[in-house]
Amino acid sequence: MLIDFFYTLRSAKLPVSVKEYLTLLEALKEGVVGPMSEEGGYRIDDFYYLSRTALVKDEKHYDKFDRAFAAYFKGVEMVADFTKDIPLEWLRKNLELELSPEEKAAIEKMGWDELMETLKKRFEEQKERHEGGNKWIGTGGTSPFGANGFNPQGIRIGQEKSRNKSAVKVWDQRAYKDYDDSQELGTRNIKVALRRLRKFAREGLEEELDLPDTIRSTAANAGWLDIKMVPERHNNVKVLLLMDVGGTMDEHIQRVEELFSATKSEFKHLEFYYFHNCVYDFMWKNNRRRFSEKFPTLDIIRKYNKDYKLIFVGDATMSPYEILQPGGSVEYNNEEAGAEWLQRLTNAFPKFAWINPEPQGVWQYRQSISVIQQLMNQRMYPLTIRGLEEAMRLLSK
């Protein structure tokens, strides 16, 4: 069975050797995971960590491994307080449901509390795989739970990526990839726009050589060296950059990388953190270690003073529950709503703006974007040269 998994990894350009594959088989034979292990039973996340440990030699390949693993197993991981595993067989993709706009409008959606309570019941009642239909966890139907179907407000389980952007919670967990800060293509105009925010002040003693003036003075002085000094220039702008990563932001990776690269080159005092969809009680700096190296949001607020300009970068495309509802995060049960944390941040840093890579023409059709705009006091700007210039003009006031 696992020979196909091995070839899937190789086709994903992962340097996996036969020796490493045999090591994995030996570990399975010895019961490192499975019924013979201390935990007992088969868990897909146990096999994930075992196979990654045995087969991947360098953490730079983790993202490729995650993609190949998801493509082969369509793996799912529980991210809330439910303990029952969902058999992978229930989630195998045989068809993707396509409905007309009229058919979609006829499907009723559940409220948050009803949705979560119903999912608990399905865990208790369901015994086998289902395809189609409108009740059970499965594929290609109109049930609120499963993959490759449609529901106006459901929980996506075992699906590689978003199709309808309507899920209020996602049962998949992937390691996101850091944005590349060395991206240069297309950054020139972005740098020009960002420079509107830069303020240089001459401070300190005369300790910097003014080379052009020294050359002119020496030439005018018949070749006698006449050294000219000027005060050292300092960039006084301090920027706190918070970036959404993963999910629907995958569509905007190149443009966000260009912005990130330009920002790092333009601002000497730059601090950055990642979040997913909405800011909650913690953020992170390295996406490969986002669960082991968390930075509490309150600590970030206390660490930086009001001189910092706060810039959010994200498409603000999510379920409104993720912003307004405690426990609304797609990854864990957050105690406080995302809106509370956004308000704390904007209160702590009075000069703030939100940069949105989504085309401005679609903003009016996304309820979550409207909610974020209200929380940002309408300080949302598109990721265009004009949008950046307007945002920098606001922040420089």
Side-chain angles (χ1 to χ4, degrees), residues 142-191:
T142 57
S143 165
F145 319 109
N148 305 305
F150 174 82
N151 190 279
Q153 192 163 280
I155 296 177
R156 192 173 82 226
I157 304 173
Q159 184 173 301
E160 182 178 357
K161 60 182 180 179
S162 175
R163 295 175 62 242
N164 300 301
K165 299 181 179 178
S166 60
V168 301
K169 214 165 182 67
V170 179
W171 231 245
D172 298 313
Q173 178 180 302
R174 267 201 70 245
Y176 305 134
K177 187 177 180 181
D178 290 348
Y179 289 127
D180 184 358
D181 61 3
S182 63
Q183 176 66 256
E184 287 296 332
L185 182 64
T187 61
R188 187 172 182 273
N189 288 335
I190 295 177
K191 289 180 180 179

Side-chain angles (χ1 to χ4, degrees), residues 19 75 228:
K19 181 178 180 180
K228 299 293 182 180

